Amino acid sequence: MKIVIAGGAGRIGSRIARALDDQGYSVVVASPRHGIDALTGLGLAEAFANADVVIDTMNLPAAIPYSEAEKFFGTATTNLLRAGEAAGVKHHLLLSVLGVDRVNSHYFRGKQEQERLVRDHGGPFSIVRSTSVLEALRYSVLTDPELGAPRVPNLTLQPVAALDLARVVARTIAAAPRHGLIEVAGPETLPLPELATRMMRANGDLRHVVVDHTAEYLGTVFEPGDTALLPDLRVGTTSVDEWLVRLAA
C-alpha cells in the first residue's frame, strides 16, 4: 500500500509517517521541503501516482496568519482532493481537530471547511478529530527561557500523545473508509496552566506560568475553563465492583 502524507514533515505528520513506515507501508512525505506543495499544487500529480491512501495532516504554517486559515485550508484541501481523484486514491483520511464544530474562529472555521470538502467530494474518506497533541503543546509552551513567563489561558484540555494518534491513524487506514468521524483523546483531563507548568519543570524551566484570560490558543480567546476542546464522551465514576455491591444491597 502506497500512502501519501500531506504535511508529513511536520511535528505530527512526521510521527505518523514513521509509525506507518515501521509497519512496512510505502510512505511518501508530501511537503514543500520535499518539493510537493498542496497550496500551489506543485508536485502533487507525481507524488500521488499509484497512491492508495492520502493522509492530510497539514496545519497552518507559522508564516500564514490565523485570519487566512479558511483560505489556506480550503485551497490546499481542494488541491489534494483533485489530485487524489485523478490518481484513483481509494481512501482520503483527514486529521482534524476536536471542537471544530463548536468554536467560531478563523482557524476552526478553516478546519470545518476542510471537513466539508472531504465529506462532499464523493470519494471514500475518514475524518479523525484529535484533541490537542502533546508534542505541539510542548513546542508552544517551551519558549525561550530568557523571555518572561509564558502566558496561557485557563483552558481545559485532554491532550493526546502523537504516537497514540499515529496508531489510531494506522488502524483507520488498515480498515475500510469510515465515511464519518473518529474522535481521539488522551487519558487525562487537566487545565492548560497545570500542563504547561509540568512540561516546563520536566525541562528544568522554573519560571511561573501566568494565567492570562486574554491569551489566545490556536488564534482564539476562550472563556476560563472552557471545555469546547474536550471529547463528547463523558466517563462515569462507578466501577464494576461498586455496581455489584449496590446491586447486592
Side-chain angles (χ1 to χ4, degrees), residues 26-106:
S26 174
V27 176
V28 175
V29 174
S31 73
R33 73 178 68 172
H34 291 82
I36 305 167
D37 192 339
L39 190 60
T40 64
L42 176 68
L44 288 182
E46 295 78 7
F48 280 43
N50 301 314
D52 300 288
V53 176
V54 171
I55 301 175
D56 181 1
T57 69
M58 289 187 302
N59 209 343
L60 192 68
I64 297 180
Y66 284 110
S67 60
E68 297 182 21
E70 293 153 277
K71 179 180 179 181
F72 169 81
F73 285 123
T75 301
T77 302
T78 297
N79 287 339
L80 289 177
L81 290 169
R82 287 175 177 170
E85 183 177 6
V89 167
K90 303 177 183 66
H91 192 171
H92 185 106
L93 187 147
L94 170 64
L95 183 59
S96 188
V97 293
L98 201 142
V100 66
D101 52 349
R102 308 175 207 158
V103 182
N104 185 23
S105 72
H106 289 294

Side-chain angles (χ1 to χ4, degrees), residues 111-192:
K111 297 298 290 185
Q112 194 170 40
E113 176 64 3
Q114 262 192 310
E115 291 192 6
R116 185 194 67 78
L117 289 167
V118 170
R119 284 195 305 269
D120 293 350
H121 87 289
F125 74 93
S126 301
I127 298 174
V128 176
R129 285 182 181 172
S130 169
T131 56
S132 302
V133 178
L134 284 167
E135 283 79 359
L137 283 167
R138 181 178 185 274
Y139 177 81
S140 63
V141 166
L142 297 182
T143 56
D144 186 340
E146 298 300 319
L147 298 176
R151 310 181 76 85
V152 301
N154 187 20
L155 180 64
T156 303
L157 301 177
Q158 192 169 334
V160 63
L163 180 58
D164 289 341
L165 178 57
R167 287 168 176 160
V168 172
V169 169
R171 287 198 298 269
T172 303
I173 64 167
R178 292 290 292 265
H179 295 281
L181 297 170
I182 302 168
E183 290 193 351
V184 183
E188 293 181 88
T189 300
L190 68 171
L192 179 53

Side-chain angles (χ1 to χ4, degrees), residues 150-154 210-222:
R151 310 181 76 85
V152 301
N154 187 20
V210 176
V211 178
D212 183 353
H213 300 314
T214 67
E216 293 186 352
Y217 180 73
L218 295 176
T220 307
V221 176
F222 289 86

